[in-house]
Amino acid sequence: MRYFITFAYNGTDFHGSQSQPNGNTVQAELETAFATILREAVPLTFAGRTDAGVHAQKMVAHFDSDNELPANFVGRLNNLLPPSIAIRDIRRVTDDTHARFDAVQRTYHYRITTRKDPFSNLFRTRVGGSLDFAAMNQASLLLLGRHDFASFCRVHTDVKTTICEVKEARWIQENEDEAYFVISADRFLRNMVRAVVGTLFDIGRHKMTEEDLKAVMDAHDRQKAGHSAPAQGLALVEIIYPQNIYYHEKD
């Protein structure tokens, strides 16, 4: 039987979401907790990868089990996991459902502040000076649609294509000190959102123009885009799946 697990995490102290030889990861913490309760190794397949310091308000992974899950499984997992990881839900899905490949849309938020604030510095990036949000939003329109985002992809990444379809990309000002960038797409490349945000920062500071952004996208060269924005402002906030993946008992 295959299940989806939905969870959130504060990525500050993790070396990314998925397992790696050195460094603590979200996946390693989860799989240890699963093994402790189920008394067997349970590999998790994540919907995507987040880098060190990046957060998730909603991440999804799938796993398989031959047995019914124990009572209060979510509560028992949360009791074992560190405060930085919270299980939200576990649902059975059809046996061929894949957490990564069946997702139809993902949404990230990148949060910034112009104010020094010890209570939000783990989840927002402090930016100096003023930003021209009108210019950044006008330039963001170029991101919409189906494009090759190779200029915003970490080099030497093993992907078959760098084509993504962006469905939303805009800055929202919450107040005079705080704002966030929302971007939704069918898929994202490694480091793509942080590279896009860093490039938009250059536009907001009038170091680049809308035409410069178009040239960057056409170049398919990571060196042409701006620096990657810091990790702590970025969070995965939504993953959408077709409703027909969820398992329903037959009458």
Side-chain angles (χ1 to χ4, degrees):
M1 293 177 285
R2 179 157 291 184
Y3 296 88
F4 265 12
I5 177 173
T6 303
F7 53 100
Y9 53 86
N10 173 347
T12 302
D13 296 326
F14 291 107
H15 292 80
S17 59
Q18 293 180 263
S19 292
Q20 50 187 280
N22 299 306
N24 188 30
T25 65
V26 177
Q27 183 174 1
E29 292 282 356
L30 286 169
E31 290 182 348
T32 297
F34 269 71
T36 300
I37 297 174
L38 299 179
R39 300 185 182 280
E40 63 175 332
V42 181
L44 296 173
T45 299
F46 279 41
R49 178 191 299 270
T50 58
D51 292 334
V54 176
H55 317 291
Q57 294 178 24
K58 180 180 179 180
M59 175 62 86
V60 176
H62 77 247
F63 67 94
D64 296 321
S65 177
D66 293 331
N67 304 306
E68 292 288 342
L69 300 181
N72 193 28
F73 188 42
V74 170
R76 293 172 67 183
L77 284 171
N78 278 326
N79 287 338
L80 283 176
L81 290 165
S84 51
I85 304 176
I87 308 299
R88 301 300 190 201
D89 185 45
I90 295 180
R91 295 180 66 182
R92 188 173 171 190
V93 295
T94 55
D95 293 345
D96 60 349
T97 298
H98 197 286
R100 177 184 173 190
F101 298 128
D102 286 326
V104 295
Q105 183 170 305
R106 299 163 171 85
T107 300
Y108 282 89
H109 286 178
Y110 192 94
R111 296 188 176 274
I112 63 171
T113 181
T114 59
R115 180 182 61 209
K116 185 177 182 180
D117 182 356
F119 298 104
S120 68
N121 60 2
L122 296 181
F123 306 103
R124 291 182 185 270
T125 296
R126 187 185 178 196
V127 296
S130 60
L131 293 171
D132 186 340
F133 286 98
M136 291 194 297
N137 271 330
Q138 184 62 37
S140 295
L141 295 176
L142 294 175
L143 303 172
L144 299 177
R146 189 173 177 82
H147 302 288
D148 189 332
F149 284 89
S151 290
F152 304 99
C153 177
R154 181 173 292 173
V155 295
H156 307 306
T157 299
D158 183 20
V159 293
K160 294 181 179 179
T161 177
T162 49
I163 301 293
C164 305
E165 183 177 1
V166 174
K167 302 174 183 180
E168 182 179 13
R170 61 191 177 107
W171 286 91
I172 298 173
Q173 291 179 265
E174 300 171 277
N175 53 55
E176 62 180 9
D177 297 310
E178 297 174 330
Y180 66 96
F181 181 62
V182 54
I183 182 167
S184 299
D186 60 342
R187 61 191 293 267
F188 286 93
L189 309 171
R190 291 288 304 277
N191 202 236
M192 174 176 160
V193 180
R194 291 168 60 192
V196 165
V197 170
T199 304
L200 291 175
F201 282 164
D202 285 343
I203 291 174
R205 293 173 177 134
H206 298 156
K207 295 180 179 179
M208 289 179 61
T209 66
E210 185 178 344
E211 286 301 312
D212 292 331
L213 176 58
K214 188 176 186 307
V216 167
M217 294 176 68
D218 291 340
H220 306 156
D221 182 353
R222 177 65 186 91
Q223 294 185 344
K224 301 296 184 181
H227 294 295
S228 293
Q232 74 269 20
L234 182 60
L236 175 64
V237 300
E238 182 62 279
I239 307 176
I240 296 175
Y241 294 91
Q243 283 301 305
N244 62 3
I245 68 168
Y246 297 102
Y247 179 84
H248 298 285
E249 292 285 354
K250 294 181 174 62
D251 295 333

